[in-house]
Amino acid sequence: MIDRTSEVVPCHLDDFGWFNAADACYYSMLDPQPPSTDAAWQGRYPEGAVYRVICVDRVPGTNGGWAWLPTPPPGYGGISVTPAQLASRAVDQMALAGPAIGITVPPERVGLVGVPVWLWTEVTPTTWGPNSATASVPGLVVTATARVTQIVWDMGDGNSVLCPTAGTPWYEGGIESPTCDHIYDQPSFEQPNGAYTITATSTWDVAWSGGGASGSLTVTRSSSTTVRIGELQVLVTN
């Protein structure tokens, strides 16, 4: 119960929602939310949410309606975050990581100029997806699902490779990767520590829904390794 101007009123009513002492109105989040084209969103969809408002001590005809709010109003079930903010918390719970890099030239070996270097990532929930998590506060639950849509490989020689798949692990007898590889045209001996630094950046698409709202967000994660590239020396004798 909340004491407002010497009058005790319920904090929550099943038919009205949660009481906001700042304006003497009850708020309940619409479920489902109005279509994204509805004027109630004021052009801000999918941020925030639309609420039904009932004001108990207003002049008849001015006692509420629908209202868009960027965050839940004071007193709303203890909720202090929007569905979109809660989706970000769900993403944090997933522990998404950069690619688990696989290449045909491990650190103990030296690759050759002109020979394809295969590029791939181990496919797991944290390196490729799908990966789902749920975050909640009293009165609001949001579930998010993340999937990688592409990996951009910075090869360290001024070139990058965009691959829309996880790549193909090398197999015995393979020459060119069927999905993702790169050919170096210069050796790496002039690079720091005599090796090219490869940085792989994955782009995660996250779809979320909850609290009568839905949306998407994009996050990236990166990881790195090195590769040494040499030249095949041909010895000519007379």
Side-chain angles (χ1 to χ4, degrees), residues 117-213:
V117 176
W118 292 34
L119 307 166
W120 71 90
T121 178
E122 180 183 354
V123 175
T124 69
T126 57
T127 60
W128 185 258
N131 193 327
S132 296
T134 297
S136 64
V137 293
L140 178 61
V141 178
V142 170
T143 298
T145 300
R147 293 177 173 85
V148 174
T149 58
Q150 67 177 36
I151 300 177
V152 174
W153 299 81
D154 182 337
M155 302 307 298
D157 62 348
N159 296 298
S160 62
V161 181
L162 189 156
C163 297
T165 72
T168 304
W170 182 80
Y171 50 83
E172 189 69 31
I175 304 295
E176 294 183 352
S177 169
T179 53
C180 189
D181 62 22
H182 176 67
I183 297 175
Y184 287 98
D185 58 14
Q186 296 293 328
S188 61
F189 62 84
E190 292 186 351
Q191 300 296 314
N193 299 316
Y196 290 113
T197 296
I198 298 175
T199 300
T201 301
S202 54
T203 298
W204 292 82
D205 179 71
V206 183
W208 61 265
S209 62

Side-chain angles (χ1 to χ4, degrees), residues 13-227:
L13 293 173
D14 289 341
D15 294 334
F16 286 11
W18 294 90
F19 185 74
N20 178 3
D23 59 9
C25 297
Y26 283 90
Y27 290 78
S28 60
M29 185 183 296
L30 295 180
D31 188 6
Q33 289 279 282
S36 60
T37 55
D38 196 292
W41 286 102
Q42 302 178 34
R44 297 181 173 92
Y45 181 87
E47 298 299 322
V50 178
Y51 297 80
R52 184 185 65 161
V53 185
I54 299 176
C55 304
V56 296
D57 62 352
R58 299 282 179 84
V59 176
T62 65
N63 66 333
W66 286 8
W68 174 87
L69 295 175
T71 60
Y76 193 87
I79 298 174
S80 59
V81 297
T82 66
Q85 291 169 333
L86 206 55
S88 294
R89 294 187 186 180
V91 172
D92 291 339
Q93 295 175 19
M94 297 179 196
L96 304 181
I101 295 176
I103 56 176
T104 46
V105 186
E108 67 275 10
R109 294 179 54 192
V110 178
L112 294 175
V113 168
V115 177
V117 176
W118 292 34
L119 307 166
W120 71 90
T121 178
E122 180 183 354
V123 175
T124 69
T126 57
T127 60
W128 185 258
N131 193 327
S132 296
T134 297
S136 64
V137 293
L140 178 61
V141 178
V142 170
T143 298
T145 300
R147 293 177 173 85
V148 174
T149 58
Q150 67 177 36
I151 300 177
V152 174
W153 299 81
D154 182 337
M155 302 307 298
D157 62 348
N159 296 298
S160 62
V161 181
L162 189 156
C163 297
T165 72
T168 304
W170 182 80
Y171 50 83
E172 189 69 31
I175 304 295
E176 294 183 352
S177 169
T179 53
C180 189
D181 62 22
H182 176 67
I183 297 175
Y184 287 98
D185 58 14
Q186 296 293 328
S188 61
F189 62 84
E190 292 186 351
Q191 300 296 314
N193 299 316
Y196 290 113
T197 296
I198 298 175
T199 300
T201 301
S202 54
T203 298
W204 292 82
D205 179 71
V206 183
W208 61 265
S209 62
S214 62
S216 63
L217 54 95
T218 300
V219 297
T220 59
R221 298 290 187 270
S222 298
S223 53
S224 298
T225 189
T226 58
V227 60

